Structure formats: C-alpha cells, structure tokens
Amino acid sequence: MENKSYNAFKTAQQQFDNIAGHINLDSGTRELLRVPMREYHVNIPIRMDDGTVKVFSGFRVQHNDALGPGKGGIRFHPLETIDTVRALSMWMTWKCSVVDIPLGGSKGGVVCDPHHLSLHEQERICRGWVRQLARDIGPVRDVPAPDVMTNGQHMLWMLDEYETITGAKYPGMITGKPVGMGGSLGRTEATGFGVVFTLREALKELNLLPENTTASVQGFGNVAQYAIQLYTQLGGNVICVSCWDQAEGKSYSFKKKTGINLDELRGISDRFGGIDREKAEAIGYEILSGESWLEQDVDILIPAALENQITKENVGTIKPSVKIIAEAANGPTSVEADEVIKSRGIFLIPDFLANAGGVTCSYFEQVQNNMNYYWEKDEVIGKLDLKMTSAFMKVSELARKNDLYMRDSAYIISITRVAEACKQRGWV
Ligand code: NAD
C-alpha cells in the first residue's frame, strides 16, 4: 500500500520511461504504454448486517491487453489507492509478457477492511463489485484473482455472481478458485517455487552450488515459506527470516547460524506469517531487529514481504558477501537503491520475473478450466519449472550479450513484446 513519500505508479512509470528511452520506443507507443488503457471506478452500495447501507469504492484498471485478456488480482484494503492499482496493473502487463503467456495486465481493488466486515458483508462486496463490472471483465476480457486480503472463497462468490448474471458456466472468468471448484493444484506453492526456479538458474550462471550457499529472507508468508522449502530441498541454507508483529506494529528477524528449520518455524507461526517470538527464542533462535535480515553475511537475499523495503537509507547495509537478490515481493527495491545494487554488480532477479510463478499457474488454471480436465500437481509444477526457466534464460542471455542489468534486460524483453503486439494490431 501507499505511504506518504512513495507512489508506486510514479515508480512504475519511471522504470518504464528509462527502458522506453533505452530502446528508442516511438512516442505513440510510449504514450500508450505509460498509462492504463482503461480504468473503472465504481461505488458499491452494501446493506450491512445492522441494516444500514454503506457505499464502498472499488477499481479495476486494465493497463494493456494487446497480448490477451487482462490478468491481475483484486485487493481488499482500507488504504487502497487508484495509483497503487495502476502501478500493479502495469507490472502485471510486464510480468505476463516476460514469462510469455498470452495475457495482458490488470489489477483491481476495493477500499475496505475485511477485519471489520462479517463474511456476509464481504460476500455482498464481492457480488456488488462483479455486478458493477460484469460487462467489462470475464474469461475473454479480464480475469481477476486473489490478492491482499482476498482468497478462494471471495473468488467463488465473484464467479457465482458472474455466472448468475450471464446465465452460463464460465470457470475461467476468475482464478485462484479452491481446488475441486475449478482451482489448480500447485497454485499455493507456485510463486515461492517459481522464485527458486529462477534462483537455481542464477546460481548455475554464477557457478555456485546451492549446497554451498546461505540466504536471508524478509517475510514468512506464502511466498517466503515455499521459496525456503524448495531452496532448502536443493541443499541451500536459510539462516535468517523476518516477519511483522501485528500486536507491536513492528517487524523482527529470527536467526539461527546453523540454519533455520522451516517446519519448526511453521509450527510456531500464525496464518498471516507472524512467528511467535517467545517460542522461537526458546528453541534457539536469536531475535534481532526487523532490518537485520538485510544485514546478514549471506550469498542470497530474498525480500518476500512488501514493496519499498530496500531503500537508499538501508541499501548500504547489504554485506559484500551478497551475490544474488531474488525479488520475491512486488517492488521491494526503490529506484535509488536499485542504482546502488546495479553499481555493486549484484546479480538481481527482478520481481516481475522472479515472482511470475503465481500468474503462470493462474494461466494453467484457466487452461485446465477451458479443457475441463485437471492435471496432477507434479504436472503443474513441471510445466511451471519449464516456463520460469525458459523466461529466466531469455532474460539472462540478453543481459550477458549486451552487458545489461537483469532488471533492464527483463524490461526490454517485456516491453518489446507488448509494443510489438500493439504495433501488429495496428494500435500504434
Ligand atoms: P503473505 O501475506 O502470505 O506474507 C507476508 C509476510 O510478510 C508475512 O510473514 C508478514 O509477517 C511479513 N511482513 C509484512 N510486513 C513486513 C515487514 N515490514 N517486515 C518484515 N516482514 C513483514 O504474503 P505473500 O502472499 O507471501 O506475498 C508476499 C509478497 O509477494 C507481496 O509483495 C506480494 O505482492 C508478492 N506476490 C505474491 C504472490 C502470491 O502468489 N502470493 C504472487 C506474486 C507476488
């Protein structure tokens, strides 16, 4: 979400402008791609449980659909802003493009706080959002998915409303559905595993064996836990993780020099990825400040919590031992910090490549919905590995060939593909 000094949309535009200049993109395409093609602002009247009516604001932003129907999550958050949604929709365009799936970029949100809403009220918001937008979303237009504070249940309510309005079954209208109700096996693991598929390739490129490396991770939620699981299976050793303490309103890091034990930490964490400090200390973890995860003497850093976490203020604390940063979170690095990382020659796997496993698996979900035939988990994960590895290879090959920073290389590939699609369609 937005804080006072950080505007995600400005960052997204700045990143785009830099690359557009670098590849000499013509002015028409530049003008088109630096803003969303369509934005919907809706106000949803909801009958609350106490009988009163409240009106909730919502958005859907469709940045670009030249490569296929828009794809992107819908967030429920009290501080949701149109600029955050715009930025995320633009990043979705680049993400789908870099992994070469036939989808565009969208994002949505409703300004609300599910902590203070009953399940019935949340259901009415989901259905109300769909009633407002049913003409503008759908399996061949724009396909939502879960994001911050929304889950499979919310997606099912939205699907049900859509099918009630249209009078037919369209399971591919939305992804992130529960398994057994049109969801795909492997979706839970997909983003974290995808991060490690790209990390594994980066290690090969740097001639490093996973078993000789250590890592430190920010966050202990869905993405972080599955990234830790696969990296550990490959032989790597995570020595530090961090998480947010809801009660204290601050973050802490948890360190074990010999390596953390994922199952042990899972056993003492809540469903929001918060680890119990007392219990952790009792089983031998050192409790450090929230920023300590960044200051570890490790080979690999994996920010897997939030946007804008590595900034010009703390980038200097990254140890010389760090060779790879795998951006599991969306936008974890500020533009200024990115310059420092680039100049230090650290191998960066940019967010929209590293964490594209989630949307790739959502695409697989749609494919399975269209066939009405569902794959085994191993098949899903195998296909995910192929997609992620192939995307990584293309980005790293271009980077090597032209001596480019990995983020710039990924942007060049993504933007060029989307620009080409716009051109071929005769838009620009
Ligand atoms: P999550 O809610 O499951 O976990 C978030 C974790 O971050 C929790 O452990 C929380 O305690 C921790 N955290 C929050 N604020 C923190 C802070 N200031 N310092 C340290 N830790 C903090 O979320 P997730 O699904 O794992 O997503 C993590 C990131 O990955 C987000 O940026 C999200 O947008 C991105 N992402 C997620 C997916 C997905 O499929 N889940 C896909 C692509 C990108």
Side-chain angles (χ1 to χ4, degrees):
M1 294 295 117
E2 208 114 33
N3 66 35
K4 278 187 197 117
S5 58
Y6 173 74
N7 180 306
F9 187 45
K10 285 210 176 97
T11 302
Q13 285 190 316
Q14 213 170 330
Q15 290 169 342
F16 169 75
D17 290 340
N18 287 344
I19 301 299
H22 186 87
I23 59 175
N24 288 321
L25 202 61
D26 64 273
S27 62
T29 311
R30 245 186 238 210
E31 229 178 291
L32 176 67
L33 293 182
R34 74 189 306 282
V35 289
M37 292 189 79
R38 284 178 294 277
E39 295 185 358
Y40 300 94
H41 296 236
V42 296
N43 289 301
I44 312 162
I46 298 296
R47 175 83 55 195
M48 306 301 281
D49 290 348
D50 66 5
T52 59
V53 171
K54 263 196 184 164
V55 177
F56 292 87
S57 299
F59 316 106
R60 187 69 183 172
V61 176
Q62 297 168 350
H63 172 256
N64 189 281
D65 54 11
L67 286 171
K71 187 87 196 76
I74 164 160
R75 304 178 148 202
F76 282 0
H77 199 283
L79 303 178
E80 192 62 276
T81 70
I82 186 66
D83 270 350
T84 314
V85 181
R86 283 174 178 145
L88 290 161
S89 74
M90 194 194 267
W91 284 326
M92 283 308 296
T93 304
W94 313 140
K95 198 180 289 195
C96 293
S97 173
V98 82
V99 280
D100 204 10
I101 55 178
L103 296 169
S106 288
K107 203 81 183 188
V110 176
V111 184
C112 69
D113 189 349
H115 294 109
H116 305 301
L117 295 166
S118 72
L119 279 180
H120 285 307
E121 288 164 344
Q122 292 180 43
E123 176 178 350
R124 282 178 221 127
I125 292 178
C126 289
R127 293 184 184 277
W129 189 83
V130 170
R131 279 198 300 279
Q132 294 274 24
L133 287 161
R135 285 173 299 276
D136 309 299
I137 57 172
V140 292
R141 286 204 174 88
D142 177 9
V143 183
D147 205 282
V148 174
M149 288 201 261
T150 56
N151 57 36
Q153 175 63 75
H154 296 102
M155 300 305 110
L156 263 191
W157 286 325
M158 290 185 176
L159 175 67
D160 187 69
E161 190 67 22
Y162 185 81
E163 293 182 337
T164 304
I165 292 168
T166 54
K169 297 294 173 197
Y170 292 107
M173 167 261 165
I174 206 158
T175 62
K177 301 177 291 293
V179 172
M181 290 299 293
S184 176
L185 291 168
R187 176 62 187 89
T188 314
E189 297 87 344
T191 306
F193 278 16
V195 170
V196 176
F197 292 143
T198 62
L199 174 59
R200 179 194 62 203
E201 298 308 310
L203 287 167
K204 278 186 206 159
E205 199 158 319
L206 299 185
N207 284 322
L208 291 168
L209 291 171
E211 57 267 35
N212 295 337
T213 63
T214 52
S216 178
V217 180
Q218 186 188 34
F220 195 65
N222 167 268
V223 178
Q225 289 188 27
Y226 285 102
I228 294 169
Q229 183 175 317
L230 190 58
Y231 169 68
T232 311
Q233 272 169 22
L234 295 180
N237 197 11
V238 175
I239 62 154
C240 188
V241 297
S242 76
C243 70
W244 184 253
D245 185 312
Q246 187 66 32
E248 290 199 14
K250 61 195 268 205
S251 56
Y252 288 94
S253 303
F254 299 74
K255 182 173 179 180
K256 208 176 225 181
K257 275 196 196 116
T258 51
I260 66 144
N261 180 320
L262 179 62
D263 291 332
E264 184 178 79
L265 284 185
R266 270 182 176 150
I268 55 167
S269 65
D270 61 30
R271 66 195 167 91
F272 301 109
I275 303 168
D276 187 312
R277 280 207 310 285
E278 260 178 42
K279 288 184 181 156
E281 208 161 13
I283 53 175
Y285 286 83
E286 235 182 294
I287 313 294
L288 305 168
S289 74
E291 291 243 313
S292 294
W293 76 276
L294 190 65
E295 301 157 6
Q296 298 303 313
D297 232 330
V298 288
D299 304 289
I300 302 159
L301 291 174
I302 308 180
L306 289 179
E307 64 272 13
N308 202 33
Q309 293 302 298
I310 308 180
T311 61
K312 67 173 188 290
E313 285 78 29
N314 64 16
V315 67
T317 65
I318 295 177
K319 289 279 185 326
S321 61
V322 171
K323 299 164 191 77
I324 299 175
I325 298 179
E327 290 185 328
N330 283 318
T333 310
S334 75
V335 173
E336 297 89 350
D338 200 38
E339 282 305 317
V340 177
I341 291 168
K342 190 174 178 173
S343 68
R344 279 180 54 176
I346 296 173
F347 191 102
L348 179 116
I349 314 173
D351 51 0
F352 64 101
L353 170 62
N355 69 31
V359 74
T360 304
C361 196
S362 294
Y363 163 61
F364 294 157
E365 180 175 332
Q366 264 204 313
V367 172
Q368 294 170 81
N369 293 154
N370 291 342
M371 297 189 295
N372 207 8
Y373 175 79
Y374 291 84
W375 302 327
E376 296 300 326
K377 191 177 197 168
D378 283 354
E379 196 172 349
V380 177
I381 301 294
K383 285 180 161 61
L384 179 69
D385 191 350
L386 282 177
K387 268 279 177 215
M388 297 299 295
T389 302
S390 144
F392 177 92
M393 294 294 193
K394 291 214 168 73
V395 173
S396 75
E397 259 169 44
L398 182 72
R400 236 177 301 128
K401 206 165 110 202
N402 296 335
D403 196 18
L404 292 168
Y405 186 46
M406 281 287 282
R407 191 188 311 280
D408 295 343
S409 175
Y411 262 123
I412 289 171
I413 288 175
S414 293
I415 293 174
T416 306
R417 274 188 191 143
V418 178
E420 195 51 40
C422 294
K423 208 155 266 141
Q424 284 179 19
R425 285 177 179 275
W427 291 355
V428 285

